[in-house]
Amino acid sequence: MKQNLITPQRSLNKEMEKWLNEQIVMEGKSSAYYLSMASWCETKGYNNSAEFLYKHSDEERGHMLKLFKYVNQAGGHALQPEIVDIKHTFKSLREVFEDVLKHEIQVTKSIHEIVDRCLTSKDFTTFNFLQWFVVEQREEETIARRALELFDIIGEDGVGLWTIDMEIGKLHGLDDVAPAHR
Ligand code: OFO
């Protein structure tokens, strides 16, 4: 019997699908990293930093899902990433936020590389889709830098760490500066 197979129209080339799936892995790792950091902070009594990182972890999962939907709607297949090698312990609260900034810089580079490939392969639809991520990364790097600055401005002695933790709890408020694209 002849089957009536419907082949979805692809607007995504195979290479772009692969790169976007690699970005899905990065966003999934971001979510897992921040969840692990949140848990460590909570066990150490840095409750505001923990809340900040739990929320950040949720946001990263949201970014991953945004990519899932885009890839599938464009005729590709988004793949659930394997997440391994997550760091569970940290030397200090400062190390947590140094790792956040390092990781965000890597994510920004990765997004920029895909944007560049969009231009060379004339995939303007994906280029347009990724602009949201370009703006998001700039904001996230700014927030991570602000968090690290707190350690230098306030200092870690005495009630310093307690104050830094309080101030980190307010950093998500910075999102309100440019919420339009969320
Ligand atoms: Fe996904 O926003 Fe940063 O990593």
Side-chain angles (χ1 to χ4, degrees):
M1 193 175 81
K2 199 176 163 211
Q3 278 185 315
N4 187 15
L5 290 176
I6 298 169
T7 311
Q9 292 293 312
R10 295 184 65 93
S11 59
L12 206 56
N13 73 43
K14 277 278 172 198
E15 284 218 297
M16 188 57 72
E17 179 181 352
K18 180 174 135 316
W19 293 324
L20 291 175
N21 265 312
E22 285 169 7
Q23 191 60 36
I24 282 174
V25 175
M26 280 208 111
E27 302 293 339
K29 276 193 172 163
S30 302
S31 179
Y33 283 155
Y34 299 149
L35 184 58
S36 176
M37 288 171 179
S39 178
W40 181 85
C41 287
E42 197 165 37
T43 65
K44 299 292 171 194
Y46 299 126
N47 292 338
N48 295 295
S49 300
E51 282 315 307
F52 173 89
L53 289 159
Y54 278 128
K55 186 170 173 216
H56 203 165
S57 170
D58 282 349
E59 283 178 8
E60 294 296 351
R61 184 170 187 279
H63 301 170
M64 183 179 78
L65 291 180
K66 216 180 239 295
L67 284 157
F68 259 70
K69 300 231 163 94
Y70 179 78
V71 169
N72 289 340
Q73 285 167 6
H77 184 185
L79 305 174
Q80 161 65 39
E82 302 287 328
I83 309 286
V84 288
D85 293 333
I86 298 299
K87 184 170 166 182
H88 296 292
T89 55
F90 302 86
K91 285 201 286 286
S92 61
L93 189 61
R94 181 192 278 262
E95 185 179 88
V96 168
F97 284 93
E98 282 171 351
D99 285 359
V100 170
L101 181 57
K102 264 189 242 155
H103 182 70
E104 288 302 333
I105 289 171
Q106 268 187 337
V107 175
T108 301
K109 265 195 201 153
S110 165
I111 294 280
H112 287 183
E113 269 168 32
I114 306 176
V115 168
D116 188 45
R117 287 163 175 165
C118 287
L119 289 178
T120 48
S121 62
K122 293 196 185 334
D123 182 346
F124 300 118
T125 310
T126 305
F127 174 88
N128 188 44
F129 165 73
L130 287 175
Q131 295 314 298
W132 184 92
F133 287 85
V134 170
V135 175
E136 178 69 13
Q137 281 311 121
R138 193 194 53 75
E139 282 180 16
E140 290 194 347
E141 278 193 30
T142 301
I143 289 175
R145 286 201 179 85
R146 295 240 175 126
L148 272 183
E149 280 163 13
L150 292 171
F151 289 85
D152 295 329
I153 294 166
I154 298 170
E156 297 176 51
D157 296 336
V159 292
L161 271 176
W162 182 86
T163 312
I164 290 167
D165 181 55
M166 290 285 286
E167 292 298 318
I168 285 173
K170 298 176 195 164
L171 284 178
H172 262 302
L174 290 179
D175 295 355
D176 299 340
V177 173
H181 69 285
R182 281 177 194 277

